[in-house]
Amino acid sequence: MSIEPPAKTRALSSLTESQGENAMNENHRPEPAVDDSVPGRAVYQVDQLDCPVEENLIRNKLTPLPGIDGLDFNLIKGRLTVTHRLETLEPVEAALKALNMTARLVTGETPATADQTPAPAGRSPWPRLLAAGLLALGAEIAHLVGAAGAGGLTAAVETGPGLDIWDGLSLALAVAAIALGGLATYRHGWTALRNFDLNMNALMCVAVTGALLIGQWPEAAMVMVLFNVAETIEDLSLARARKAIGELLKLTPETAVVRQEDGTWLETPADRVPAGALVRVRPGQRVALDGRIVSGGSALNQAPITGESLPVEKTVGDQVFAGSINESGVFEYQVTAAFENSTLARIIQAVEEAQASRAPIQRFVDRFARIYTPIVFAAALLTAVLPPLLGGGDWLPWIYKALVILVIACPCALVISVPVTIVSGLAAATRHGLLIKGGAFLEAGRKLKWIALDKTGTLTRGRPAVTEFRPWGQADPDRARRLAAALAARSDHPVSRAIAEATGDPASSPDVIGFTDRPGRGTSGVIDGQTWFLGNRQWMREEGRASEALDAAVEELEREGRSVVILAGEDGALALFAVADELKDGTGAAVAELKSLGLKTVMLTGDNEAVARSAAARAGLERYRSGLLPEDKLTALIELQKEGPVGMVGDGINDAPALARADIGFAMGVAGTDTAMETADVALMNDDPGRLAVFIRLSRATHRILWQNIGTALGIKTGFFILALAGQATMWMAVFADIGVSLLVVANGLRMLRQ
């Protein structure tokens, strides 16, 4: 048996319900974006930050500044977080202004209250783009009329610009179209070139300017218009992924009906309701804050939090989550966490942090794009210069081919596909009751070979019951129960709670002095001047309180698959408690599903051999290890990692070392301690082991779509690159290809929302 430390040990990061406040781990506590009294972290809302192009531009500008320690980007939310050692933020803001970035310092927000979307961009761009498109079309018509007698496009490329009235009209309309639809692109492109950054805006500006100079005015205008249309459509596609995250905010009502000191009920803003307050919820209303029911009961739809498809019956003592919908009865509950520390707020915060993290494949794509773009730019330059110098033809056709190559070179489709797919996958995971703390974990899930599972609270219900009580020797049964209740009531371990419930009212039990909780062994304390121990047989042996007869009795009970807890004093054992814990519904099916996906499973438990063997057989597990202390679980996991990546699933403090060491740690989101929640990489918000298979499938689907996007983008660009060198591709074709690929990969990435 492994018993968790008492509340004073768990206070590092646990929810202290008796005091009615949440003491989340400081590394994950919501905090203001910047604290003027403690410089070091500033968050900016950057309106233009919605693409990796802008991210790279900002990173290259700010990273060299003295005093900048780190930069984190949230492209979906348009946020830049600067970690610094600056006395003033003026250098940061000056650098952003030099990049023509509109940046606003964000202060005093929490995940529960912050707006999830960037600031609105103002009026719709479509009327302007439509007008620019009509002007570009007019330029094309004028060009065709003027070139009709000169052999069409090919002749125009060979002989250069004409001088008649139609060419003049075509040029005027093209310049007007570019001015109306592409001034912002030119501003961004010039900024990029000034900072030696060959991003897609810079490439597009060079291509369009070159097309103007060689007389391809209608094509230059239409390329610029189509490019901006594509940018707008991409923004709308990204907004859909952004909306999927932002919808989380709408799950909680703005107010709650709170009981006042005089006994009346008053509707109060949810963010002003303190922990410990009493809240009433009627049928059809949403739960505003986390808490525990104190009177009444109902069926709650908590799908937004846990992913459960059916309403869950709740009664006195049960936990309720902010965002759940009350389906039937009226109930009252006591708030256990303030608005900003609710489970939903923590989900939002974790998803935001996950958005800002970079998966390995995203880092790979970013590195590839930084190498790919300059190489293609150099290839375009050589295409324009070398053949004419070597006598391979006239300058204008080769310059035109080089400009086509520049359009093809834009890496946006390749780069943008990764964050869209990752964020869509994270949003889909929350719908299934999975809280994934980073794109890296979503991507790495497909590599797992082993799933190691704790038993109590993970595979089993975590609420064992005492099935047999045996006084030992000449012990007084009533006295043994009172002593056991006194020790068990002070521990949070499920087995201890079962003993406390079975032995009577803990309030009437004797006082305990010097209470000690030993993880993996049991609890002890001084009662009525004598030291008493309540723990497993291994600990009794270590303390010299075991005997052959006691071992035989324990083994008899353990062969039946039950855990045995021994109450012993200075003179030996006083009583035995046989405890059994049933498997959760669907545990066997969950293990079978993991096997069908090709994963191997093993149970790591502190329980004895007989209990572990019985539980493993009922769950259908391939292997099991029993009698493990926290350090033993860690050792067992390290051994498994020699055979491949391992995912560890647990719910207690004694699982935390293994959770931290595992390639991916999974924590039970409801039954799990906050230590396990903070240590793990993925939280199963409904404690259903069946969600493990859902995670694996999401991970594999994400990986598959990512490489589909990368392969599609590179394949199409390579094909058009060859066509351009062969003189078979026009700028129109190139820009359509670039737009098409960008929209295709974004749409493909958004398919993750439907997983």
Side-chain angles (χ1 to χ4, degrees), residues 208-223:
V208 170
T209 302
L212 286 173
L213 293 176
I214 67 171
Q216 298 304 307
W217 309 314
E219 207 160 347
M222 192 59 74
V223 164

Side-chain angles (χ1 to χ4, degrees), residues 30 111-112 322 338-350:
F339 183 74
E340 66 273 12
N341 291 332
S342 68
T343 301
L344 181 61
R346 295 174 69 180
I347 291 175
I348 295 171
Q349 180 187 12

